[in-house]
Amino acid sequence: MNLGPLSRLTQRGVTQEDVVITHEDVDRAHDRVRVSAARAQRGTFSKFRLLWLLVGPGILVMLGENDGPSMISYAATGARFGIGFFIPFVILTFCMAIVVQEMTMRLGSATHRGHAELIFDRFGPFWGWFSMIDLGIGNFLTLITEFIAIRAGLGFFGVPPWAAVLSALVFLCLAVMMHRYWTWERTLLAIAVFNLIFVPVALLTHPNWHSVGSALITWKPLPGGLSQDTLIIVLADIGATVTPWMLFFQQSATVDKGLTRKDIHLGRIDTVVGAALAAVAAVATIIATAPLFAHHMTAENFQGAEFAQALQPLIGRFGAALFALGIVEAGMVASVTISISSAYAFGEVVHRPHSLNLPVAQGKAFYTVLFLCAATAGAIVLIPGLPLVYVVLLVNVVAVLAMPPALVFLFMLANDREVMGDLVSPTWANILATCVVVFLTLAGLLFGLSVIAPNLFAFIGGK
Amino acid sequence: MPSKDKGHSSITSSDQEMVLSSLEPEQLAGLKKHLIPRRHLKGPEKFVMWSLRIYLLFMIVVVIYQVWASLH
């Protein structure tokens, strides 16, 4: 048998018997045929069609990270600090997210391997399991907070908690039961765009655009100055933008979609567009809850969509309902992407089939992990007496703390010439990535110091 | 021609040709069981990885303390 283009793999021990064509391959090939056809044509329309065919993982990961806890963190930010320092700061965090996520997209396109798979293969199981434990714990805690957000958001409309959790699980089932990556991606993209629902809510508060513009330029004011509370919000907002699950999700989704080296330029556009959309939604959420600060209301007693209840006297029932719906949407989309991120990583590590192109019969392990994670997290949310907002902020803080080790793996892989070839990170990308690692590590250390030595901030002039 | 997976009787010869002509070899699901060769970490790399691992463990203890302090 002539393996044709596969023959070069024989150097890596690939035999004819190894070359097994699956439905997953056929589905991916259909998608690639359309990409090749669009690429072969000339004209503006064809370029847009090519972009349309290739966008997805970047937008989904960014809007997926604008999840329940993230939107609640932004809402808490607006309610506690108003319009000021945190608006440009959140935009900066999305710039960091672009730097990091571009590397995962490049890795996936160049190697056709998921992030967990690459870490295990290149660094061995010792470091691989460390990485998986970080991901597993982080993903599970975050999933819990997604269900908290869904429960709180639907609670605004009088939906009981058990029904809210059940509806989220049904949504998850419907989202992944399409057995086709393309259909799943397009459906979830259509839903994820509703993250921008926070924009009309912000407009309903009649924001002071002069203050917004001034904050963007001056990074001021920061009411209360530097304090432990401020630092927790800083970490929560960073954790609302860059988290370990995003690395694993975008790389695996890039592989599942079938992106190749030729697609990297448009993959970058996908990532930047996603970050821009997510940043708009995040800033809109801060602006939307800023009136709570102006009216001297605090966020401490608000749980999820209770922000919506607090806003109701200011923006009316319709605006408050939009806000609550936005929280539900954020939780629903992220519960899907995070569950899939866990299932992808599990499949990659145990070398079981892991693709959204798989029928249930051939992807039992993949779909079982996906549903078990979600169902367990949903059940935990039904435990009465959970301090919801505190849990949500804390999960984002933990996500930031877990980021530096995850970024070092990413950094090393993206600079690994043996797997990346000529697609290793350029110097400017390495400088930016190093800055992100140092920034995140220092932010975490500062938080640690503030806990160990609470008087530190008073000593250096804060509170 | 390459073989079809068991239970994939509906995959036709034209499907197989389309797969082989439109996917890069490394994209085939069946070939992913072949591991990418292990990389041997150098001293400075091990130092950074262990440092960050210790950093993470330390910070998790700090977070647990913070939660405990808030609840009491």
Side-chain angles (χ1 to χ4, degrees), chain A residues 66 91 94 195-196 198-199 202 274-287:
Chain A
N66 261 5
I91 293 172
F94 277 102
N195 197 235
L196 294 170
F198 290 98
V199 174
L277 290 173
V280 166
V283 169
T285 309
I286 293 176
I287 293 173

Side-chain angles (χ1 to χ4, degrees), chain A residues 96 238 242 400 403-404 407 435-444, chain B residues 55:
Chain A
M96 292 197 299
I238 299 173
V242 284
V400 177
M403 242 348 232
L407 282 178
C435 290
V436 173
V437 173
V438 170
F439 178 75
L440 292 180
T441 310
L442 287 179
Chain B
Y55 158 85

Side-chain angles (χ1 to χ4, degrees), chain A residues 1 5-6 8-9 12-14 17-26 28-30 32-33 111-113 117-118 120-127 130-131 134 228 232 255 258-261 351 362 390 394 397-398 401-402 404-405 408-409 412 416 419 440-441 444-445 447-448 451-452, chain B residues 1-12 14-42 44-71:
Chain A
M1 180 178 73
L6 300 170
R8 66 185 159 94
L9 292 180
R12 281 174 32 193
V14 174
E17 289 71 31
D18 292 328
V19 184
V20 177
I21 305 293
T22 64
H23 275 298
E24 181 189 334
D25 296 320
V26 175
R28 194 167 295 127
H30 277 294
R32 294 305 301 173
V33 166
T111 65
H112 305 302
R113 302 279 180 142
E117 202 173 357
L118 270 186
F120 265 75
D121 283 4
R122 287 300 276 166
F123 303 121
F126 179 78
W127 293 107
F130 264 134
S131 166
D134 292 350
Q228 196 186 55
I232 287 180
V255 174
L259 297 194
T260 66
R261 288 167 176 255
H351 293 283
Q362 289 156 34
Y390 196 71
L394 209 60
V397 170
V398 170
L401 301 178
V408 167
F409 285 124
M412 289 168 70
D416 191 335
V419 294
L440 292 180
T441 310
L445 281 175
F447 167 73
V451 173
I452 295 165
Chain B
M1 287 292 287
S3 59
K4 297 173 208 168
D5 196 2
K6 287 170 189 169
H8 289 268
S9 52
S10 58
I11 295 176
T12 62
S14 64
D15 284 337
Q16 292 186 46
E17 280 177 27
M18 179 188 65
V19 167
L20 292 177
S21 61
S22 56
L23 292 188
E24 293 181 359
E26 290 87 350
Q27 285 183 291
L28 294 180
L31 294 187
K32 292 188 180 175
K33 64 185 177 188
H34 287 270
L35 304 183
I36 293 175
R38 178 82 59 87
R39 168 181 172 171
H40 294 286
L41 294 171
K42 294 170 190 158
E45 291 171 335
K46 280 185 183 170
F47 174 77
V48 170
M49 285 162 90
W50 273 113
S51 302
L52 286 171
R53 187 56 44 192
I54 292 164
Y55 158 85
L56 181 60
L57 290 174
F58 171 73
M59 294 308 295
I60 293 295
V61 172
V62 169
V63 168
I64 291 169
Y65 171 75
Q66 166 83 354
V67 172
W68 179 84
S70 311
L71 295 176

